[in-house]
Amino acid sequence: MLIDLSELLSVNGKSEDVQIGIEMDRFRSKMADYFISRKAPLQIRLTNTGRKMIRIETVIDITLLIPCDRCLEDVKYDLSIEVDKEVNMDESDQERIQSLDELSYIKDNSLDVERFIYNEILVHLPMKVLCSENCKGICNRCGANLNSQTCNCDTTELDPRMSKIRDIFNNFKEV
């Protein structure tokens, strides 16, 4: 959804409150694809602070279903992102790139709300998600979820650095 900012830019000090529902059902990036299980409507406050500067204030309240990094079970991950940004509408795209402040959600005099939400979620995604602190994960041999079942796989792993010593002991057994 696009919000036209041209009327807001015409009067210094003017504020506008906009309520918008989040349209996206999934969060898709190059790294992941997460289902959005809960999304609260956005209350966005847009303020012209003068000199073609727009202040964007909102709270993005959303719940993503992210797989646990150990057992791959879905985990409800709540995100509550408070956003308070000032955007210089006078800068060109080239000037933004040079100042390392690419704003893909500002195009001409419009704010792309979905792109804005996407960028904020992307920045605030966690590095690691666990279903619980003591998650046992999955068996690396049979793939069983060790939190809910046990497997009969041989779990003894031998240190590869000790292979030469193991060969010596195996040779003594043959004698």
Side-chain angles (χ1 to χ4, degrees), residues 69-95:
D69 284 329
R70 290 185 189 158
C71 69
L72 303 177
E73 292 292 323
D74 281 340
V75 177
K76 287 186 177 183
Y77 189 82
D78 295 321
L79 278 172
S80 183
I81 306 166
E82 291 186 35
V83 181
D84 187 359
K85 289 189 178 215
E86 262 194 86
V87 178
N88 187 350
M89 299 297 288
D90 208 20
E91 282 185 342
S92 68
D93 289 339
Q94 287 300 325
E95 291 172 332

Side-chain angles (χ1 to χ4, degrees), residues 33-45:
D33 183 4
Y34 303 135
F35 180 72
I36 299 173
S37 65
R38 184 187 58 81
K39 50 191 174 186
L42 286 181
Q43 294 284 350
I44 301 176
R45 172 164 277 235

Side-chain angles (χ1 to χ4, degrees), residues 98-111:
Q98 287 175 351
S99 66
L100 300 176
D101 190 20
E102 289 188 60
L103 301 175
S104 61
Y105 50 86
I106 298 290
K107 196 69 166 177
D108 299 326
N109 283 338
S110 297
L111 169 69

